[in-house]
Amino acid sequence: MTVDAPQRRAGPLTPGDLMTPRQRLRLVLVLGSLIAVGPLTIDMYLPALPAIVADFRTTPAAVQLTLTGTLAGLAVGQLLIGPLSDAVGRRAPLIAGIALHVVASVLCVVAPNVAVLGGLRVVQGLGVAAASVVAMAVVRDLFDGAAFAKLLSRLLLVMGAAPILAPTLGGGLLRWTDWRGVFVALAAFGVLLVVVAALGLRETLPAERRRRGGVVATLTVYGGLLRDRTFVGLVLVAGLAMAALFAYVAGSSFVLQQQYGLDEQQFGLAFGAGAVGLIAATQFNVRLLRRHSPQRILVVALGVGTVAGLALLAFAVTGLGGLPSLLVSLWVVLAAAGLAMPNAPALALSRHGEAAGTASALLGAVQFGVGAVAAPLVGVLGTGAVAMALVVAGGMVAAMAVLLVVVRPARLAGLAPEAVVVAAHTAPPSPRSPTDAPVSQHRRPGSSGPRCPGALPASHPVPRAGVLRWWGGVHRE
């Protein structure tokens, strides 16, 4: 995990060249902790939203804007921190971002009103963006091919577990403290992360591999991406699926606690059950890729999600079936989103392997930006199940419409299959230089060696049953 490790020998870099199993385990723990801070910051205070409304004597819509602030900070932060970390290295933006998160969390504890709390949540989101972007970038710095997919798959399990645990942890904290105590816990976790990052993670991007060109070069690449209709359509599909997810995140605490009478702990369990369904769908997606294309999975997933979203709206309006029918339809929507969200980015990024870092930053910004719009929209429409169901169903219907009208699935048939397979196993990807090669053809700068282990030649078709195993990262025939 040192800066000079990649320079010790010529040729492609493999995990065995870099670190021992003990070092690899330490890396997983460090990066997993960094990745976890994002879901914890977003979700940990969800059980306290009704209490914040009462404390500040404000409206649910105003409190939901504090969630929007975090998502907006995440969206803007990815656009800024991704290129910055490519230019100056990983450690400085990471430590500065986490420190900013700590300061914002401490100030949230003493926030005098909901407007100040919302502004501080934006700052929290900016700090969280540094942790998530840099953690993924470090993986791209140190690993390639199958080894990259293997390590990142383990980190994605952390990303999946954290949203399940966050509301439950928040509900547990609220048994002993008020909502301000949740931000005390987030500040304490941030301080721990600063220490972990400073002592446990060295710089992984040497000076000779850092990107130059400044703002003009970055804007040029962004402009090229925005002129690709299919790419933009796929990014919008991913963002609208995320909007449905965050409409559920923003509205579920009010619907389940105020309308259906669940307490804070019961809400944490119900929310966690939905997250389990989403995670199970993302992992089942890997098995589906053995026999079906990402295009087909995306179309079917959005079709199922659209039907489930409309059923959710019908149950919310009529009250038929009560809470069980509402939860089941919600969980089906979440599962559909769990299938759509890996495949839409994978298809989008496979079109721009030469600008993977900037493309992934734009993708993440749109996803969280659209989510930031969806969260307050639920509050504007009301705090009941109908308002939440309208936005959830609207997100899925709009995603399906964009896919059929803007993207047009037939246009995706020519994408390189091996690029899509790797991307689907590694979403969300991390920022990297726009001059980097696609994963399937990657060589280290200055290396004359062959492609990295586990990568397929560009002309090699992926066998129908051949895919990188989600956990093991081994290509199987």
Side-chain angles (χ1 to χ4, degrees):
M1 275 171 55
T2 61
V3 173
D4 59 345
Q7 303 171 349
R8 290 177 184 170
R9 53 188 290 188
L13 186 67
T14 66
D17 292 323
L18 205 76
M19 59 186 69
T20 65
R22 183 176 180 179
Q23 290 175 316
R24 194 177 300 115
L25 175 61
R26 186 180 71 173
L27 178 67
V28 170
L29 294 176
V30 170
L31 297 183
S33 300
L34 295 175
I35 288 173
V37 70
L40 290 176
T41 301
I42 294 171
D43 294 341
M44 198 167 170
Y45 86 135
L46 292 181
L49 292 185
I52 297 174
V53 172
D55 192 10
F56 285 142
R57 298 180 182 179
T58 185
T59 64
V63 172
Q64 285 168 329
L65 282 173
T66 64
L67 175 61
T68 297
T70 312
L71 300 177
L74 271 164
V76 175
Q78 291 193 58
L79 291 175
L80 298 176
I81 295 167
L84 179 65
S85 70
D86 285 342
V88 304
R90 312 303 187 196
R91 274 172 54 87
L94 171 63
I95 294 175
I98 300 174
L100 184 65
H101 176 271
V102 171
V103 172
S105 298
V106 171
L107 293 177
C108 284
V109 176
V110 296
N113 54 57
V114 71
V116 173
L117 180 64
L120 291 171
R121 290 286 285 174
V122 174
V123 180
Q124 272 192 316
L126 290 170
V128 166
S132 58
V133 165
V134 171
M136 293 297 181
V138 166
V139 180
R140 293 296 278 266
D141 290 340
L142 299 180
F143 294 90
D144 284 312
F148 170 55
K150 177 180 179 181
L151 181 61
L152 192 55
S153 66
R154 293 174 178 173
L155 295 179
L156 289 175
L157 292 179
V158 176
M159 294 177 65
I164 297 176
L165 296 176
T168 305
L169 290 174
L173 279 174
L174 291 174
R175 298 180 64 181
W176 307 100
T177 182
D178 62 6
W179 65 267
R180 298 178 190 270
V182 174
F183 291 100
V184 172
L186 287 173
F189 185 51
V191 171
L192 177 62
L193 287 183
V194 170
V195 175
V196 168
L199 300 180
L201 189 66
R202 299 183 181 180
E203 182 58 65
T204 60
L205 186 67
E208 64 272 14
R209 288 177 48 211
R210 295 175 188 176
R211 185 175 64 194
R212 299 293 182 261
V215 176
V216 174
T218 300
L219 292 178
T220 300
V221 177
Y222 277 132
L225 293 171
L226 292 174
R227 287 191 294 270
D228 182 347
R229 168 177 170 166
T230 302
F231 173 81
V232 171
L234 287 166
V235 167
L236 287 175
V237 167
L240 289 166
M242 184 73 82
L245 173 62
F246 277 113
Y248 163 69
V249 169
S252 59
S253 60
F254 295 101
V255 172
L256 298 182
Q257 292 184 75
Q258 292 186 346
Q259 183 170 343
Y260 287 96
L262 300 186
D263 61 28
E264 292 163 343
Q265 288 71 43
Q266 291 171 332
F267 164 72
L269 293 175
F271 188 92
V276 168
L278 188 146
I279 295 168
T282 59
Q283 302 219 23
F284 182 59
N285 178 61
V286 181
R287 294 184 177 273
L288 290 177
L289 283 169
R290 296 178 179 178
R291 296 191 175 274
H292 303 285
S293 68
Q295 301 95 297
R296 180 178 298 177
I297 297 172
L298 180 61
V299 172
V300 173
L302 290 179
V304 171
T306 298
V307 172
L310 294 174
L312 169 67
L313 181 59
F315 288 135
V317 170
T318 63
L320 183 65
L323 181 60
S325 62
L326 192 81
L327 288 177
V328 169
S329 54
L330 265 175
W331 292 339
V332 174
V333 171
L334 293 178
L339 291 174
M341 286 191 293
N343 288 295
L347 290 164
L349 293 171
S350 67
R351 297 175 60 84
H352 292 282
E354 80 290 349
T358 309
S360 62
L362 181 61
L363 174 67
V366 170
Q367 284 184 304
F368 286 106
V370 175
V373 173
L377 184 58
V378 175
V380 169
L381 294 174
T383 59
V386 175
M388 180 184 69
L390 272 172
V391 182
V392 170
M396 298 306 295
V397 170
M400 188 68 181
V402 170
L403 180 67
L404 296 178
V405 176
V406 179
V407 178
R408 298 176 187 172
R411 293 183 177 184
L412 304 177
L415 293 179
E418 69 276 7
V420 174
V421 169
V422 173
H425 282 73
T426 58
S430 64
R432 59 190 304 190
S433 168
T435 59
D436 284 349
V439 173
S440 61
Q441 304 178 43
H442 185 74
R443 292 185 178 91
R444 289 285 170 185
S447 169
S448 60
R451 294 181 175 87
C452 60
L456 295 175
S459 61
H460 189 289
V462 176
R464 187 171 180 83
V467 69
L468 295 176
R469 186 177 294 274
W470 174 260
W471 181 261
V474 179
H475 184 73
R476 304 256 178 165
E477 298 296 331

